[in-house]
Amino acid sequence: MHKFFTDIFPKGFWGIDSNTVAIALILIVVVVSTFLAVHGFRLLLVSVCRRIKLHKYETQTQILQNHHVFKRASSLIAPVCLLFFVSYIFPDNTSLSTLYEITIKGILLYFYVVVWSFLIAVLSAINDIISIRNRKSIRGFTQIIQLLVSVVIFILVVSMLLDKSPFNILAGLGASAAVMMFVFKDTLLGFVASVQLTVNDMLQIGDWITMPQYGADGVVIEIGLTAVKVSNWDNTITNVPTYSLVSDAYQNWRGMSDSGGRRVKRSISIDMQSVKFCDNSMLERFSKVELISDFISKKIEEQADFIKKFNVNTNVLLNGLPLTNLAVFRAYLEQYLQHNHNVNLNMTHFVRQLQPTEKGVPIELYFFTTTEWIPYENVQSEIFDHIIAAVREFNLRIFQDESDFKTGEDAPRGQFFNS
């Protein structure tokens, strides 16, 4: 090509010798050809992207565009074109051989940088695509691959600038392997932890985890090579070392979310002095409560059969299997849970009495309801609002400290809860 232009302008142009004119024209051809090649390839990729978006891969294509994968792929054309045309720019056997070598090295350096940016973008896009499709993050893998790619590109650049074999550079790095392992200790531990977390499905993007020792209580938003980012419920971000999620204990609430039910385990304390046997008037009043009318009828029949069978002296209150108002209250709570549409009846649900304490007899409700946070709080609040109001209907009192009943003058405990 150089000879072609020198033949066209044998005497030069505007006082410039033919050799310089030929090099200038070749440079113009190279720049124009490179520009057309890059933009032509970019337009081709845009056209392909539009066709893909019309099908089922629109999300994946959008992720690739967000990471500028197609733009960086088209940028690879420029150094390739420059390497192809550089031999035509410099004539053979001239004093420009040193400039030719510097130009080649500059183009190769540019090529390595473009390849590095393209591979980094591709790996980041792959991580996002997999995270969206499977809710699994492979950021640990992609980050270690990105690190390896960076090391390889760095070695190639150094070997090119020093005119040495890449294997000689690697041999020199091998001698300092112990130092490198010490420097990248956290990175290596994080990589091992990322592999374990991914392979064993211990953690995913979107999982709610609690890790009090690191102040983490929220949703996992990123699983990195050295740290896992947790968005806490107070909108703060906690960075937990990746390796600590393998070596330390933490709580993952994914099982609760997947099961479709979140547990409610709360209790109220009944004043033991308000617990007593039910007389006939109380049983008659309780039998009018629809939820426990069958229970009361059944218990009255059992009591009558027992008295008849064993000829029990009913003048003594303790004879004849007498019911307590606390037992009736527990039966009411069981039926209340059974008939509450907010309670997941396919999961464990019961009412039980716990060990009495100096603060009364705890009655615990154990059941599962919705996993959505705000509805979950509303459901358990409504249920316990009802229970607190229903206690007095069973001639019971909720235990409460005396200081809470003072209204100008000291009032006795339970004054406001007496039936």
Side-chain angles (χ1 to χ4, degrees):
M1 185 178 293
H2 186 274
K3 186 175 183 302
F4 172 76
F5 285 116
T6 54
D7 291 340
I8 295 177
F9 301 98
K11 296 182 179 180
F13 187 75
W14 285 354
I16 303 173
D17 62 276
S18 60
N19 185 44
T20 304
V21 171
I23 292 177
L25 292 174
I26 292 173
L27 285 174
I28 294 173
V29 171
V30 169
V31 171
V32 173
S33 300
T34 302
F35 177 82
L36 293 176
V38 170
H39 285 270
F41 187 68
R42 185 171 298 176
L43 291 175
L44 177 63
L45 290 178
V46 171
S47 177
V48 171
C49 291
R50 289 175 179 173
R51 293 178 179 272
I52 293 177
K53 281 187 175 182
L54 296 177
H55 298 82
K56 60 181 180 180
Y57 299 106
E58 181 176 355
T59 303
Q60 290 84 344
T61 306
Q62 187 62 44
I63 292 175
L64 292 174
Q65 287 182 331
N66 292 339
H67 287 277
H68 308 290
V69 172
F70 301 117
K71 180 179 180 181
R72 296 182 183 184
S74 62
S75 299
L76 292 171
I77 302 299
V80 173
C81 291
L82 292 175
L83 287 173
F84 177 78
F85 287 110
V86 70
S87 59
Y88 296 102
I89 299 176
F90 298 94
D92 295 334
N93 300 321
T94 65
S95 60
L96 299 177
S97 59
T98 302
L99 182 61
Y100 172 76
E101 292 180 0
I102 295 175
T103 304
I104 288 291
K105 289 184 178 181
I107 296 174
L108 285 175
L109 179 62
Y110 174 56
F111 175 73
Y112 289 143
V113 172
V114 172
V115 169
W116 175 80
S117 64
F118 170 71
L119 293 177
I120 296 298
V122 168
L123 291 171
S124 299
I126 290 174
N127 176 75
D128 289 352
I129 291 173
I130 294 177
S131 298
I132 290 177
R133 292 189 59 182
N134 303 326
R135 291 187 61 198
K136 293 183 178 179
S137 176
I138 59 169
R139 184 170 297 275
F141 293 102
T142 55
Q143 285 182 336
I144 197 66
I145 295 175
Q146 289 173 348
L147 179 61
L148 292 175
V149 168
S150 301
V151 171
V152 170
I153 296 296
F154 175 76
I155 292 174
L156 291 176
V157 170
V158 172
S159 64
M160 177 195 68
L161 296 177
L162 299 179
D163 289 329
K164 291 186 177 181
S165 172
F167 297 102
N168 294 335
I169 305 295
L170 285 174
L173 292 176
S176 57
V179 177
M180 297 291 289
M181 290 182 66
F182 178 77
V183 172
F184 293 102
K185 179 187 68 174
D186 294 337
T187 302
L188 294 174
L189 289 176
F191 172 68
V192 174
S194 298
V195 172
Q196 291 178 323
L197 291 174
T198 304
V199 172
N200 298 323
D201 196 20
M202 298 168 62
L203 195 66
Q204 296 179 5
I205 298 295
D207 285 356
W208 171 18
I209 66 170
T210 54
M211 208 169 183
Q213 59 269 41
Y214 289 95
D217 183 11
V219 178
V220 176
I221 59 176
E222 182 180 312
I223 302 176
L225 185 61
T226 57
V228 173
K229 289 185 178 180
V230 180
S231 178
N232 299 314
W233 300 121
D234 58 357
N235 292 330
T236 59
I237 302 295
T238 299
N239 291 307
V240 180
T242 306
Y243 185 71
S244 65
L245 292 167
V246 177
S247 59
D248 297 340
Y250 69 96
Q251 188 174 18
N252 192 330
W253 294 78
R254 189 203 315 165
M256 177 272 294
S257 301
D258 294 342
S259 68
R262 184 175 175 184
R263 187 185 69 177
V264 176
K265 185 182 178 184
R266 290 178 61 179
S267 62
I268 59 172
S269 295
I270 303 297
D271 190 341
M272 287 184 284
Q273 295 181 6
S274 66
V275 179
K276 57 186 175 181
F277 291 117
C278 298
D279 54 26
N280 292 332
S281 62
M282 292 173 63
L283 291 176
E284 183 180 357
R285 179 161 56 88
F286 294 156
S287 64
K288 296 178 181 179
V289 181
E290 293 185 1
L291 289 180
I292 55 174
S293 59
D294 293 339
F295 170 79
I296 297 297
S297 299
K298 182 180 178 181
K299 289 298 181 181
I300 291 176
E301 291 178 2
E302 291 179 357
Q303 188 177 29
D305 292 340
F306 181 81
I307 293 173
K308 182 178 179 181
K309 181 178 180 180
F310 296 99
N311 193 21
V312 175
N313 181 10
T314 56
N315 293 325
V316 179
L317 187 60
L318 291 176
N319 295 336
L321 301 178
L323 273 175
T324 64
N325 55 349
L326 185 57
V328 177
F329 180 59
R330 290 203 315 273
Y332 172 79
L333 294 181
E334 291 174 357
Q335 292 301 314
Y336 177 70
L337 291 181
Q338 285 282 352
H339 291 81
N340 194 309
H341 68 277
N342 291 315
V343 176
N344 191 330
L345 299 179
N346 295 321
M347 295 184 173
T348 305
H349 54 285
F350 57 83
V351 179
R352 63 175 177 173
Q353 181 183 132
L354 301 179
Q355 176 71 29
T357 67
E358 68 277 4
K359 293 186 178 294
V361 182
I363 302 298
E364 182 182 82
L365 278 74
Y366 187 106
F367 62 94
F368 289 82
T369 183
T370 178
T371 59
E372 298 181 18
W373 193 356
I374 296 178
Y376 167 82
E377 297 293 344
N378 290 334
V379 166
Q380 66 173 341
S381 297
E382 290 174 0
I383 289 178
F384 276 87
D385 288 347
H386 178 86
I387 293 172
I388 292 171
V391 166
R392 68 187 64 191
E393 300 299 327
F394 294 88
N395 294 59
L396 293 168
R397 293 193 301 268
I398 295 177
F399 182 89
Q400 191 162 330
D401 290 339
E402 293 182 4
S403 58
D404 293 335
F405 289 91
K406 296 178 180 179
T407 56
E409 297 180 358
D410 291 344
R413 184 179 60 196
Q415 175 178 336
F416 302 126
F417 290 95
N418 285 330
S419 300

